């Protein structure tokens, strides 16, 4: 009886947990999909109100003051709106384009910018429909919208010179899409745990990410502590990075009008082979958005021309918790095409 009772209790507990997760998913999706037409003519677009704009930009601008190297801010006008770009590094140096992950902005690159900007002209973009300083004037419906947006930006910041793309998570997906579409304009591409591209997002990641839109900070904290577990358990400085990201991400969810991102699709075998320029793919051994072993195995089989590296002691937070190693891997790849 004791064994059967324990089994029954485990079954009931598992059922309850599954129902709770399902409820969270339903409620979260309700918040995400609730009709909220974007008013591009609003004086405080893309924010919900004038107060939301003031409060968020105050936090954003104060965090920007911590950017560890000299920089200038550009606001580039394109067909799709105005793109904010944070520029650092020698003026005539080879260009690097940084594309951050979803739920963030160019300030995600604070742990990396000093190393990257030493010998490169680095352009850290605020992606359209992310939570930063860029202001879109039209909806994005598919990958081609991001590709066309990025191409218009690059035509202005680097009209005659090929660029190096470095993309993290959602920014990695955009980088891969652009490298596939315009290989003649890309020198090298670095994909840092890109969303989609090689494997679909895990169900657990989707459920946890959806919960962040619920009107309580608890879920944002739980999500980031799970996603950036290695950083959260790291040094005091690293823990502070996670805390700052949680504070900003939560305020952003409350401040910005919701606009669903284009889902980051998985490339077919043919599409992976079309990413022809030299590519470096980095993924943490504790990655949460998909299995690192699965993505590496597929790349080795389908696209062996893509260089890969498993980063120890990191998950989706590899640019934070293992910033020095990731910076070195990026710079070595950009300078020599080969990892030692």
């Amino acid at each position: 009886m004791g064994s059967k009772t324990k089994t029954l209790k485990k079954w009931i507990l598992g059922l309850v947990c599954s129902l709770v997760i399902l409820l969270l998913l339903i409620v979260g999706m309700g918040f995400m999909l609730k009709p909220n037409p974007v008013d591009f003519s609003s004086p405080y677009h893309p924010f919900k109100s004038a107060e939301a704009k003031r409060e968020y930009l105050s936090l954003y601008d104060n965090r920007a003051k911590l950017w560890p190297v000299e920089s200038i801010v550009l606001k580039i006008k394109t067909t799709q709106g105005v793109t904010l770009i944070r520029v650092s590094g020698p003026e005539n140096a080879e260009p690097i384009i940084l594309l951050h992950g979803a739920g963030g902005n160019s300030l995600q690159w604070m742990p990396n910018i000093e190393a990257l900007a030493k010998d490169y002209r680095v352009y850290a973009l605020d992606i359209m429909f992310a939570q930063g300083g860029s202001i879109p004037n039209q909806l994005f419906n598919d990958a081609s919208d991001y590709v066309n947006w990025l191409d218009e930006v690059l035509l202005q910041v680097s009209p005659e010179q090929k660029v190096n793309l470095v993309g993290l998570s959602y920014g990695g997906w955009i980088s891969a899409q652009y490298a596939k579409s315009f290989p003649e304009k890309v020198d090298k591409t670095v994909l840092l745990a890109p969303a989609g591209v090689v494997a679909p997002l895990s169900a657990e990641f989707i459920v946890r990410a959806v919960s962040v839109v619920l009107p309580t900070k608890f879920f944002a904290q739980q999500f980031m502590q799970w996603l950036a577990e290695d950083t959260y358990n790291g040094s005091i400085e690293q823990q502070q990075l996670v805390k700052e990201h949680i504070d900003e991400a939560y305020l952003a969810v409350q401040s910005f009008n919701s606009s669903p991102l284009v889902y980051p699709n998985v490339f077919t075998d043919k599409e992976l082979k079309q990413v022809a320029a030299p590519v470096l793919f980095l993924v943490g051994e504790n990655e949460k958005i998909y299995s690192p072993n699965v993505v590496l195995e597929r790349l080795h089989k389908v696209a062996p021309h893509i260089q890969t590296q498993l980063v120890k002691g990191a998950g989706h937070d590899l640019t934070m918790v293992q910033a020095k190693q990731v910076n070195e891997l990026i710079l070595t790849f950009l300078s020599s095409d080969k990892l030692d």
Side-chain angles (χ1 to χ4, degrees):
M1 288 293 293
S3 177
K4 290 183 178 180
T5 301
K6 288 181 180 180
T7 301
L8 180 60
K9 286 182 177 179
K10 287 183 179 180
W11 183 85
I12 293 174
L13 180 60
L15 178 61
V16 170
C17 289
S18 297
L19 290 174
V20 169
I21 290 173
L22 179 61
L23 180 61
L24 283 175
L25 184 59
I26 292 172
V27 174
M29 288 299 290
F31 274 95
M32 290 181 69
L33 301 177
K34 186 169 69 173
N36 187 21
V38 179
D39 181 4
F40 292 106
S41 65
S42 166
Y44 42 79
H45 166 71
F47 298 93
K48 294 178 180 179
S49 66
E51 176 60 22
K53 178 179 180 179
R54 184 202 64 76
E55 187 176 2
Y56 177 81
L57 290 181
S58 175
L59 175 65
Y60 178 79
D61 291 340
N62 283 332
R63 283 203 68 211
K65 293 175 183 178
L66 302 176
W67 194 253
V69 295
E70 184 178 346
S71 67
I72 60 172
V73 172
L74 302 178
K75 293 187 177 181
I76 302 293
K77 292 183 178 180
T78 67
T79 304
Q80 302 82 4
V82 178
T83 302
L84 186 146
I85 307 177
R86 211 170 300 282
V87 188
S88 300
E91 189 169 347
N92 296 316
E94 188 177 346
I96 292 178
I97 308 299
L98 298 181
L99 297 169
H100 60 81
N105 51 55
S106 56
L107 301 180
Q108 282 186 341
W109 299 103
M110 280 195 192
N112 318 102
I113 187 61
E114 187 171 5
L116 299 180
K118 183 178 179 181
D119 297 311
Y120 290 88
R121 186 69 165 175
V122 182
Y123 300 85
L125 279 59
D126 277 358
I127 295 171
M128 286 294 188
F129 292 103
Q131 297 161 342
S134 292
I135 305 174
N137 62 14
Q138 58 184 258
L139 293 175
F140 281 21
N141 298 308
D142 54 37
S144 66
D145 290 323
Y146 282 99
V147 170
N148 293 335
W149 158 72
L150 182 57
D151 192 49
E152 285 196 35
V153 170
L154 298 186
L155 284 173
Q156 295 188 57
V157 301
S158 185
E160 298 179 356
Q161 191 174 9
K162 288 186 176 183
V163 299
N164 299 295
L165 297 175
V166 179
L168 169 66
S169 193
Y170 198 79
W173 174 71
I174 297 173
S175 298
Q177 291 285 358
Y178 189 86
K180 174 171 66 74
S181 301
F182 292 103
E184 72 280 4
K185 298 184 179 184
V186 178
D187 190 5
K188 297 164 191 167
T189 303
V190 179
L191 304 178
L192 304 169
V197 183
V198 186
L201 300 174
S202 69
E204 183 177 12
F205 170 78
I206 293 173
V207 170
R208 287 178 178 268
V210 166
S211 72
V212 172
V213 304
L214 296 172
T216 170
K217 196 172 184 178
F218 171 80
F219 292 105
Q221 292 174 328
Q222 293 299 305
F223 175 68
M224 280 305 301
Q225 290 172 14
W226 172 77
L227 189 65
E229 183 177 3
D230 292 279
T231 305
Y232 183 73
N233 294 325
S235 66
I236 294 176
E237 291 78 10
Q238 291 172 336
Q239 292 176 28
Q240 181 62 27
L241 278 176
V242 177
K243 182 181 181 302
E244 290 174 1
H245 189 77
I246 291 171
D247 291 342
E248 184 177 346
Y250 177 71
L251 180 60
V253 168
Q254 309 308 309
S255 302
F256 283 85
N257 282 315
S258 59
S259 301
L261 293 172
V262 176
Y263 189 80
N265 67 298
V266 177
F267 284 25
T268 64
D269 292 355
K270 182 179 179 180
E271 288 174 324
L272 281 176
K273 293 174 182 176
Q274 286 177 334
V275 185
V279 181
L280 172 63
F281 185 103
L282 300 183
V283 62
E285 65 173 344
N286 302 320
E287 180 57 67
K288 301 293 180 65
I289 71 170
Y290 41 50
S291 165
N293 294 328
V294 168
V295 294
L296 293 178
E297 183 178 347
R298 184 175 181 223
L299 286 174
H300 294 160
K301 179 180 179 180
V302 174
H305 65 286
I306 294 179
Q307 297 183 42
T308 61
Q309 184 81 18
L310 185 69
V311 180
K312 300 289 186 180
H316 206 60
D317 54 356
L318 70 170
T319 58
M320 293 190 294
V321 70
Q322 296 296 346
K324 182 178 180 181
Q325 180 186 1
V326 169
N327 294 341
E328 290 175 352
L329 288 169
I330 292 172
L331 293 171
T332 299
F333 172 72
L334 295 183
S335 64
S336 67
D337 280 349
K338 291 185 178 180
L339 296 175
D340 295 332

